[in-house]
Amino acid sequence: MCMFQSVMNYFPEEVLDHVFDFLTSHRDRNAVSLVCKSWYSVERFSREKVFIGNCYAVNPERLIDRFPRLRSLSLKGKPHFADFNLVPHDWGGRVYPWIEAMAKSRINLEELRLKRMVVSDESLELLAKSFPNFKSLVLVSCEGFTTDGLAAIASNCKFLRELDLQENEVDDRKGHWLSCFPESCTSLVSLNFACLKGEVNVAALERLVARCRNLRSLRLNHTVPLEVLQKILVQAPQLNDLGTGSFTHDPNSETYVKLKNAMKNCHSIRSLSGFLDVNGRCLPAVYPICTSLTALNLSYAPGLFSNELAKLIYHCKKIERLWILDTIGDKGLGVVANTCKELQELRVFPSDLYGVGNAAVTEEGLVAISAGCPKLNSILYFCQQMTNAALITVAKNCPNFIRFRLCTLNPVVPDAATNQPLDEGFGAIVQSCKGLTRLSVSGQLTDQVFLYIGMYAEQLEMLSIAFAGDSDKGMLYVLNGCKKLKKLEIRDSPFGNMALLSDMGKYETMRSLWMSSCQVTLGACKTLAEKMPRLNVEIISENEGGAGEGEARLDDRDRVEKMYLYRTLVGPRTDAPDFVWTL
Amino acid sequence: MPADLNLRLGLPGSDQTDVDAAKSNKRASPEKAEDTASNGVPAAKSADDHETAPAPKAQIVGWPPVKSYRKSTAAAVKKAEAESGMYVKVSMDGAPYLRKIDIKLYNGYSHLLTALEDMFKLSIEREGYKGSEYAPAYEDKDGDLMLVGDVPWEMFMSSCKRLRIMRGADARGLGCAQ
């Protein structure tokens, strides 16, 4: 036994506990718990925040058993490609069993953050009634609940600080959920209901804002008119994050003038979003706020012209995070490049989702941004076309990317100038950006790009592939090369059994692998499932017919349409629907 | 087989002659290949398939990869905009029938006038009325006949009930002040 170990054992547990209090990151805490049995023990009793990246990797009982002092839980459910309708409805990811188990075990739950999970009204009701100290509910890309569930939360959670609904599909029963916050509720710090479709009681909203003096973040939905926004801002000039509702009005009216004045008085707003319904001529009201903004999301603002956007951005010299539509155009991105020297994250979303070729950004905009914004480290860019030369320039200009997601609207478009695949361009990105943790590739790509990725992307944790590659070699390069890979999702690419089965142990070091419309067969999936009992290998059928039907149809030599595999400590899940077959 | 009889991944107008068959991902059950709208990438097919030309809006499921929430919000906005059009009748002196336009579609006077010129195949006075061309007038909420262009565009949009393209000679009385 080494000197160090005996010295550390000399410290009473309370001291270790205190030391561990300073560890906030999950990774640090996970690492600490692996050092020795006593550290594992101290750590587990002191951990209050737990993050579970795949809700089916463990179960509620194990969670509660290991971390009895749990106060804050983050859970993620469906695979990422569920966002794009590739996962059938009812696949799973229900939160109810977790809430039920924690309620039964009298966990003192204070915070719950869920992403891509199914949240029923019953879950919300149970949540609201079971945890007297509940403070914070954050739901991102979830579904399954209605405003009735929200009413339960509002009515029962006496100390609620945060209700943050981001991009959820909510069935709006047009009830009075907002009016359910009792008059005694003054604790709200953050309220975001931007994704709700129905009207709220604006009088109740105004009163709520007036009595919650600690309110810092407020995001309204599109039914809240500008007149009400103006009144709210007068009541809450201390806000630092604002999501406007509707932002259209006659710019010559008295209401608009009052709004302008109210906004001038909001010295603390650092983050601005909303504009779900906007008249470009009303935008000047926000110019005074723009000078101190660090985050701006205009990606839901329909119909703003490029010059209106450019004029607005011209005022945003301190912006660090910008989400915008491609209607800004390459020219508008040039304005961003010249103005936003603090920019770290840029997302350019497509405005023309159904048509053909009305997209207004090309590789030029991206190059301009890379040249003008030295702090850029995260990008999501939907564009009409791309070139290797542009990507090589971007790679040279911005070696600090941690997230790089490029999406060409035509998934297999080649280099617009040379007609070559975009292998060299992405190769330059991975070679230059040594800290890259997330990458999405698109455009015409051969196995070569995966050779580069495997060779250079040493820190890569998440990789998204679509319509790319020529053979199993491509996938093999990635599996063999990217040592830190956690999530791999592949669609419509010619990778098959040889790649899937070459290093089965690798999948236990990863969170999950998704493969759809590839060349893997049922037989190979069965082999994998048999050899690796700590993986769940799920075959998801297209038709929501019975599993029996699905199984009978498929022969071992048939290709599997959708396969999702993930490591797990708890075996096949018990809530799988008929169309999901766990091998 | 002529190239344009192949369904391929390229959008119309793009030079996608070199997309591999391997990439077109022939599906396991050939009978599903027809259902291109919902099931996935249209595979390269034989010439006697019922689709003889690439569908201009061949939809690939889940591409571009945009969250369905975002898509449904955008669709809802488009729908709302379409439904709440501000349609007004447009009459032209001497024409036997009227037209209707949605003034919400235009972002300003010059855009509107250009559209009217296109629609009626004439040329509209922009500055001063010399009497040789047409002048745009509108009927406002109070029923008065007004010259187009005096008030801010927003105000015009909300007060315009009907447009009238008057022959220059008749419009002289409406000549703007300066």
Side-chain angles (χ1 to χ4, degrees), chain A residues 83-84 141 167 195 279 281 299-300 302 305 349 356 382 407-412 414 466-467 491-492 517 559, chain B residues 9-11 16 23 25-28 41 56-57 59-70 77 107 154:
Chain A
D83 280 350
F84 317 130
S141 300
E167 301 184 335
C195 64
N279 176 345
R281 296 186 52 192
S299 66
Y300 286 104
F305 295 106
F349 292 95
V356 171
F382 286 83
C407 181
T408 53
L409 294 175
N410 173 347
V412 292
F467 304 96
R491 60 167 293 187
D492 295 275
S517 304
R559 286 184 321 125
Chain B
L9 291 171
L11 296 171
Q16 285 296 295
K23 226 171 281 175
N25 252 323
K26 295 187 187 39
R27 301 178 60 76
V41 179
K57 293 198 177 178
Q59 296 289 334
I60 301 171
V61 172
W63 199 271
V66 170
K67 272 189 189 172
S68 39
Y69 169 82
R70 185 175 282 280
V77 167
N107 59 12
E154 253 72 36

Side-chain angles (χ1 to χ4, degrees), chain A residues 234-293:
Chain A
V234 167
Q235 285 291 351
Q238 79 281 4
L239 287 178
N240 59 33
D241 170 29
L242 174 66
T244 68
S246 161
F247 209 76
T248 95
H249 212 273
D250 181 351
N252 298 308
S253 65
E254 197 188 319
T255 304
Y256 182 72
V257 172
K258 280 200 221 162
L259 176 73
K260 275 210 285 200
N261 292 331
M263 287 204 149
K264 273 197 207 134
N265 226 15
C266 293
H267 303 296
S268 306
I269 296 183
R270 296 288 171 272
S271 164
L272 188 60
S273 61
F275 303 98
L276 308 167
D277 180 16
V278 57
N279 176 345
R281 296 186 52 192
C282 292
L283 284 181
V286 308
Y287 292 170
I289 297 182
C290 289
T291 40
S292 10
L293 276 188

Side-chain angles (χ1 to χ4, degrees), chain A residues 112-115 134-142 145 150 153 160-168 170 177 181 188-196 217-219 241 273:
Chain A
L112 188 61
R113 305 179 60 104
L114 305 176
K115 186 167 185 181
F134 192 72
K135 295 192 173 64
S136 166
L137 180 63
V138 180
L139 302 178
V140 180
S141 300
C142 296
F145 60 104
L150 297 178
I153 298 283
L160 194 69
R161 287 207 205 131
E162 181 174 27
L163 178 60
D164 184 0
L165 308 171
Q166 298 177 31
E167 301 184 335
N168 303 289
V170 185
W177 68 274
F181 282 107
L188 273 184
V189 172
S190 167
L191 177 62
N192 172 5
F193 60 94
C195 64
L196 296 185
S217 167
L218 179 63
R219 297 191 186 189
D241 170 29
S273 61

Side-chain angles (χ1 to χ4, degrees), chain A residues 506-520:
Chain A
K506 171 89 175 169
Y507 305 125
E508 279 191 7
T509 69
M510 290 168 55
R511 184 184 297 170
S512 64
L513 168 66
W514 168 280
M515 291 181 77
S516 60
S517 304
C518 296
Q519 308 285 343
V520 291

Side-chain angles (χ1 to χ4, degrees), chain A residues 504-543:
Chain A
M504 295 189 261
K506 171 89 175 169
Y507 305 125
E508 279 191 7
T509 69
M510 290 168 55
R511 184 184 297 170
S512 64
L513 168 66
W514 168 280
M515 291 181 77
S516 60
S517 304
C518 296
Q519 308 285 343
V520 291
T521 65
L522 180 60
C525 294
K526 281 183 179 170
T527 305
L528 179 58
E530 206 185 294
K531 297 249 162 76
M532 306 293 298
R534 288 194 298 190
L535 296 181
N536 278 352
V537 180
E538 292 187 7
I539 308 297
I540 301 167
S541 310
E542 199 68 50
N543 317 302

